[in-house]
Amino acid sequence: MNKKQQQSEDTKRRIAEAAKALIMQKGYKSTSIEEIVEATGSSKGNIYYHFKSKEGLFLYLIEEWDLEWEQKWSSKEHQYTTITDKLYGIADQLVFDDLNHPFSKALDEFLNSSESMSEDVEQRITQIIRNRLEFNQKLLQQGIDQGEFENHNVEHLSIIFESLIAGLSQMSQMAKLDNVLALYHSAIRVLLYGIAKKPGMNNGR
Amino acid sequence: MNKKQQQSEDTKRRIAEAAKALIMQKGYKSTSIEEIVEATGSSKGNIYYHFKSKEGLFLYLIEEWDLEWEQKWSSKEHQYTTITDKLYGIADQLVFDDLNHPFSKALDEFLNSSESMSEDVEQRITQIIRNRLEFNQKLLQQGIDQGEFENHNVEHLSIIFESLIAGLSQMSQMAKLDNVLALYHSAIRVLLYGIAKKPGMNNGR
DNA sequence: TAAGATACAGAACGAACGTTCAGTATAGAA
DNA sequence: TTCTATACTGAACGTTCGTTCTGTATCTTA
């Protein structure tokens, strides 16, 4: 690879990194190109040289984010044996590696800001969401097949799981909580065992 | 009350109503004063006559929203006997009466858009959230005291419940789902009984 | 009915925004 | 070294935004 190509890739990376950090902090609409310029030391024109628009930059970040998540997970998944363990593992990855579930909030904001966005961008994003739900669904189905979970409606379960996850990151930000990991684990435990009293059963911890 | 006072209150109401609908649809930042003008037939100046700023208008809506929720709930609460029933009842109110949980999303966007907002507004809003969590906490504590729920960490539980609720409304919008009520009920059922297999137990539907 | 307060209209403003573009520097090819 | 495609700059543009301000109509009160 050329020195020039290398430099070009580097600055594109720098822009993407800064944009991601800012959008995670402040959301999509509230993050301006000008702020990305200040954060990178690059120029406005240069951002538009590497990305065709703000929307395009955001889509780039979403796709990267989605990809990284899958890669990280598939490199960790084998550590866990049961599906139950995997659920906890997902919680761990969300809290630790992924401080970027703030990002899903930005995604939501972007989607629901209404006002026309390019057809392709919208399609690409909804597809990513459906992928995520499909991922959950497969995992939960495995749990059922292997006798770990009750035979529930997996479509609903996958949405409920994703909702819980998304809601948790939202709430833990809003209420400015610490010990987020413990909260996530509590949530998984509730998801698994519920809160209802089960007379004569001991599901301690 | 005067005819003039009456008219004044009416238009203030009209403005608030239109603003609420728009903000629920498109979020806080993406809703412009101009759009509220178009929706009401009122003028820009008039909006600023009734509300001191866009931020102030939003705070007004939040407080109203919070109040209405409490009123609606306290008028329904007596219908339900067990706390378990009340959880389902809350889900019902969220889906039916409150198509405005989209509003909590707008609240989130508003809070996390960072960029300075008035001290008092921020304080008022975080207080509303803490109220909501406190409401959950009391309800769940009652459930424990009355022997319906296991003796879990109620602080965590209240956040988990709120997270689930917020996440559900978010997801059901994003994925454009129908049959939202069934989904909410599924979620409550999971919250109560979990998904883990409980050998020898029959907790069907 | 006159005076004054209240309710409303809409032009105007300055700031912030995403985007474009003419121009410049630089690295690789010739 | 000269040429050219690539990488980058920053001023400028056209909108859109929240907010302000001057002026006007309308209702209340004296």
Side-chain angles (χ1 to χ4, degrees), chain A:
Chain A
M1 183 178 294
N2 273 344
K3 178 183 171 188
K4 202 164 194 182
Q5 286 176 325
Q6 183 60 45
Q7 266 190 358
S8 183
E9 262 194 25
D10 286 351
T11 55
K12 184 168 183 177
R13 183 103 298 278
R14 249 188 24 249
I15 294 170
E17 222 75 59
K20 187 178 176 181
L22 284 167
I23 290 176
M24 270 168 45
Q25 268 178 39
K26 330 197 336 156
Y28 173 75
K29 185 124 190 184
S30 295
T31 298
S32 66
I33 302 287
E34 187 59 37
E35 284 172 306
I36 301 173
V37 166
E38 286 164 15
T40 53
S42 205
S43 69
K44 263 186 175 181
N46 201 17
I47 291 175
Y48 278 85
Y49 176 76
H50 289 287
F51 302 95
K52 71 174 228 221
S53 67
K54 190 188 179 188
E55 204 182 76
L57 169 56
F58 187 65
L59 182 59
Y60 178 88
L61 294 176
I62 291 283
E63 305 226 301
E64 203 183 50
W65 170 61
D66 193 49
L67 220 68
E68 278 174 10
W69 164 266
E70 281 181 22
Q71 286 173 353
K72 258 184 224 157
W73 175 247
S74 66
S75 79
K76 280 190 174 182
E77 189 175 9
H78 70 278
Q79 293 178 10
Y80 311 101
T81 52
T82 66
I83 306 296
T84 300
D85 276 344
K86 287 188 183 182
L87 292 186
Y88 282 107
I90 288 175
D92 288 345
Q93 178 165 320
L94 284 168
V95 176
F96 282 126
D97 301 334
D98 254 354
L99 202 50
N100 62 0
H101 229 266
F103 215 70
S104 75
K105 194 195 52 199
L107 206 169
D108 182 57
E109 180 212 336
F110 180 77
L111 273 178
N112 287 56
S113 69
S114 166
E115 38 192 324
S116 61
M117 63 178 130
S118 330
E119 270 301 327
D120 53 332
V121 175
E122 176 153 22
Q123 280 187 346
R124 186 73 194 89
I125 287 181
T126 51
Q127 193 197 324
I128 287 175
I129 295 170
R130 299 211 175 271
N131 280 354
R132 192 67 78 116
L133 290 178
E134 204 179 319
F135 168 84
N136 293 342
Q137 195 165 331
K138 272 182 190 163
L139 199 69
L140 292 162
Q141 186 61 56
Q142 277 181 38
I144 292 173
D145 294 343
Q146 299 182 15
E148 291 182 54
F149 305 150
E150 297 280 354
N151 186 18
H152 285 132
N153 178 341
V154 281
E155 268 187 73
H156 275 188
L157 281 189
S158 68
I159 299 171
I160 289 169
F161 180 61
E162 193 68 24
S163 298
L164 183 61
I165 290 300
L168 281 171
S169 83
Q170 197 169 316
M171 286 303 299
S172 50
Q173 276 200 312
M174 277 169 85
K176 287 161 189 166
L177 303 168
D178 43 14
N179 207 354
V180 179
L181 185 63
L183 176 65
Y184 272 64
H185 277 217
S186 287
I188 300 289
R189 205 166 343 110
V190 168
L191 179 75
L192 287 169
Y193 308 111
I195 62 175
K197 192 131 194 171
K198 290 159 277 292
M201 278 200 63
N202 184 3
N203 66 332
R205 164 113 174 89

Side-chain angles (χ1 to χ4, degrees), chain B:
Chain B
M1 180 177 299
N2 274 342
K3 178 182 171 189
K4 206 166 192 183
Q5 286 177 324
Q6 183 60 44
Q7 265 190 357
S8 184
E9 261 195 27
D10 286 352
T11 57
K12 185 168 184 179
R13 182 103 299 278
R14 249 189 23 250
I15 293 170
E17 221 74 61
K20 186 177 176 183
L22 284 167
I23 290 176
M24 270 167 46
Q25 267 179 39
K26 331 196 340 159
Y28 173 75
K29 186 123 193 182
S30 295
T31 298
S32 66
I33 302 288
E34 187 58 40
E35 283 171 308
I36 301 171
V37 167
E38 286 164 14
T40 54
S42 204
S43 69
K44 266 185 173 180
N46 202 18
I47 292 176
Y48 278 84
Y49 176 77
H50 288 286
F51 302 94
K52 70 175 230 223
S53 66
K54 191 188 178 188
E55 206 183 73
L57 169 56
F58 187 65
L59 182 60
Y60 178 89
L61 294 177
I62 292 284
E63 305 225 302
E64 203 185 48
W65 170 63
D66 192 48
L67 219 68
E68 279 175 11
W69 164 266
E70 281 181 23
Q71 286 174 353
K72 256 184 226 158
W73 175 246
S74 67
S75 80
K76 279 190 175 184
E77 189 174 10
H78 70 278
Q79 294 179 8
Y80 311 100
T81 54
T82 66
I83 307 297
T84 300
D85 275 344
K86 289 189 181 180
L87 293 186
Y88 283 107
I90 289 175
D92 287 346
Q93 178 165 319
L94 284 168
V95 175
F96 282 127
D97 300 334
D98 255 353
L99 202 49
N100 63 357
H101 230 266
F103 215 69
S104 75
K105 194 194 54 198
L107 206 170
D108 182 57
E109 179 213 336
F110 180 77
L111 273 178
N112 287 56
S113 71
S114 171
E115 37 191 325
S116 61
M117 64 177 128
S118 328
E119 271 301 326
D120 54 331
V121 175
E122 175 155 23
Q123 279 187 347
R124 187 72 195 91
I125 287 181
T126 51
Q127 193 198 325
I128 286 175
I129 294 169
R130 298 208 177 274
N131 281 354
R132 191 68 78 120
L133 289 178
E134 205 179 319
F135 168 85
N136 294 342
Q137 195 165 328
K138 273 182 189 162
L139 199 69
L140 292 163
Q141 187 62 55
Q142 278 181 38
I144 292 173
D145 294 343
Q146 300 181 14
E148 291 182 54
F149 306 151
E150 296 280 353
N151 186 17
H152 284 133
N153 178 342
V154 282
E155 269 188 70
H156 275 188
L157 281 189
S158 67
I159 300 171
I160 289 168
F161 180 61
E162 192 68 24
S163 298
L164 183 61
I165 291 301
L168 281 172
S169 83
Q170 195 167 318
M171 286 303 298
S172 52
Q173 276 201 313
M174 276 168 86
K176 287 159 189 166
L177 303 168
D178 43 13
N179 207 355
V180 180
L181 185 62
L183 176 65
Y184 272 64
H185 276 217
S186 287
I188 300 289
R189 205 166 342 111
V190 168
L191 178 76
L192 287 169
Y193 307 111
I195 63 174
K197 191 132 196 171
K198 289 159 279 293
M201 279 200 60
N202 184 3
N203 67 332
R205 179 84 163 93

